[in-house]
Amino acid sequence: MSRICALVVDDERLARQRIRDLLRGESDIDVEEAKDGVAAIERLRQERFDLAFLDVQMPEKDGFDVLRETDQERRPLVIFVTAFEQYAVRAFEARAIDYLLKPVEERRFREALQRAREELADESREDRLRLKLLLEQMQEKSETIDRFLVRKNQRIVLLPARQVQWMKAEGNYVRLQSRGGSYLTRATISALARSLDRKHFARVHRSIIVNLDSVREIAQLFHGEYEIVMKDDARLPLSRSYRDALLRGHRLG
């Protein structure tokens, strides 16, 4: 990557200026600004940025709102910047690559910037982008998802959907459990439910989809409750709201 396009998002002008000052000597970085979360969401929808220095606490839309309301394909790498240390855990749960406390120290800033450079220059990232494009092209020809892009042993590989035994929502990600291992993919259960082959997959809970070929049995528990017993011995809850549809002739919706 020859140049890095960075977006500095903060509702405090002096805070934005501090990041600009720290980036002044970086000749390969182009810097843009957004004065609050609302402006940041708009900029990210209109333009592509490689990196964002994102304040956590802002009026109307905070830093986490910005990420939630930005399409995942357009999200840049994120370094959170805030005066409040208690947000650190949430920042890393949001997959930020680093977290800087105000007032931003130059040493910590350089460390975070170096981490961002390494991530952006990572060949596996470039491979991921190329494979992502390939996957999108393949899925344009089909109404259903027939494979996933996942990381396996530091490589990015295509995982056939039929090899996934069950899927479970985990925050902004979905865990894919297959015979070959467990993987995380950035998606929502609802989006997958709309896109998977309904002949082979069924939604059994608001956060779980199963591959019907991998189901061993539907077990009845106490008080009219049921659970799905998978061939890999996993036991998954069967929600009442999906049970009737599954027993009648499954559907994902």
Side-chain angles (χ1 to χ4, degrees), residues 67 70-76 132 172 185-188:
L67 294 185
T70 301
D71 188 80
Q72 62 185 26
E73 279 76 27
R74 301 187 71 87
R75 288 178 195 163
K132 178 178 177 295
N172 294 327
T185 185
R186 185 179 284 275
T188 66

Side-chain angles (χ1 to χ4, degrees), residues 212 214-220 227-231 234-236 238:
L212 293 167
S214 298
V215 173
R216 178 182 298 158
E217 64 176 311
I218 299 175
Q220 186 170 6
E227 69 177 3
I228 305 289
V229 181
M230 306 299 293
K231 291 180 180 178
R235 291 179 174 268
L236 307 171
L238 173 56

Side-chain angles (χ1 to χ4, degrees), residues 9-220:
V9 185
D10 202 303
D11 61 312
E12 299 176 356
R13 183 183 61 80
L14 292 178
R16 297 196 303 273
Q17 187 59 51
R18 172 59 175 164
I19 300 298
R20 273 191 172 276
D21 290 342
L22 289 167
L23 289 171
R24 184 167 295 149
E26 308 295 334
S27 60
D28 64 330
I29 300 181
D30 299 318
V31 185
E32 301 289 339
E33 293 185 15
K35 64 180 181 180
D36 56 32
V38 174
I41 292 169
E42 187 65 23
R43 292 296 301 274
L44 289 169
R45 286 174 178 171
Q46 294 177 349
E47 304 173 50
R48 288 195 176 275
F49 291 89
D50 305 301
L51 177 64
F53 294 89
L54 185 58
D55 187 23
V56 173
Q57 279 203 322
M58 292 180 290
E60 294 189 61
K61 301 288 185 179
D62 66 19
F64 299 109
D65 290 329
V66 171
L67 294 185
R68 279 193 296 270
E69 297 186 31
T70 301
D71 188 80
Q72 62 185 26
E73 279 76 27
R74 301 187 71 87
R75 288 178 195 163
L77 294 180
V78 172
I79 297 174
F80 275 110
V81 185
T82 183
F84 303 96
E85 192 168 4
Q86 65 266 31
Y87 289 111
V89 173
R90 284 190 66 193
F92 286 109
E93 286 177 348
R95 301 301 192 268
I97 61 170
D98 213 329
Y99 180 90
L100 299 175
L101 284 175
K102 297 178 181 179
V104 178
E105 298 179 356
E106 183 170 1
R107 178 187 61 81
R108 278 291 295 119
F109 181 85
R110 298 300 168 201
E111 291 176 357
L113 185 59
Q114 179 60 27
R115 185 170 291 118
R117 288 185 187 280
E118 291 172 357
E119 178 70 14
L120 289 168
D122 188 352
E123 288 185 3
S124 67
R125 178 180 173 84
E126 297 302 317
D127 291 341
R128 182 165 66 249
L129 293 174
R130 285 193 292 270
L131 279 170
K132 178 178 177 295
L133 178 60
L134 172 63
L135 185 61
E136 289 174 348
Q137 292 171 342
M138 294 172 66
Q139 290 180 182
E140 283 176 0
K141 302 175 183 178
S142 172
E143 294 181 356
T144 60
I145 291 177
D146 59 6
R147 61 198 67 203
F148 296 93
L149 204 61
V150 298
R151 182 181 290 275
K152 182 177 183 180
N153 298 328
Q154 305 305 313
R155 296 182 296 116
I156 305 299
V157 299
L158 292 173
L159 173 67
R162 293 290 300 277
Q163 291 184 14
V164 179
Q165 297 168 302
W166 49 271
M167 312 171 190
K168 185 174 183 180
E170 293 189 10
N172 294 327
Y173 291 76
V174 172
R175 182 166 298 282
L176 308 175
Q177 183 64 47
S178 75
R179 289 183 294 275
S182 180
Y183 312 95
L184 283 176
T185 185
R186 185 179 284 275
T188 66
I189 281 289
S190 295
L192 293 182
R194 292 191 297 268
S195 304
L196 286 163
D197 187 342
R198 294 167 183 253
K199 295 179 181 178
H200 300 287
F201 292 91
R203 193 170 185 177
V204 299
H205 187 274
R206 62 183 178 84
S207 63
I208 299 171
I209 292 172
V210 299
N211 183 334
L212 293 167
D213 294 333
S214 298
V215 173
R216 178 182 298 158
E217 64 176 311
I218 299 175
Q220 186 170 6

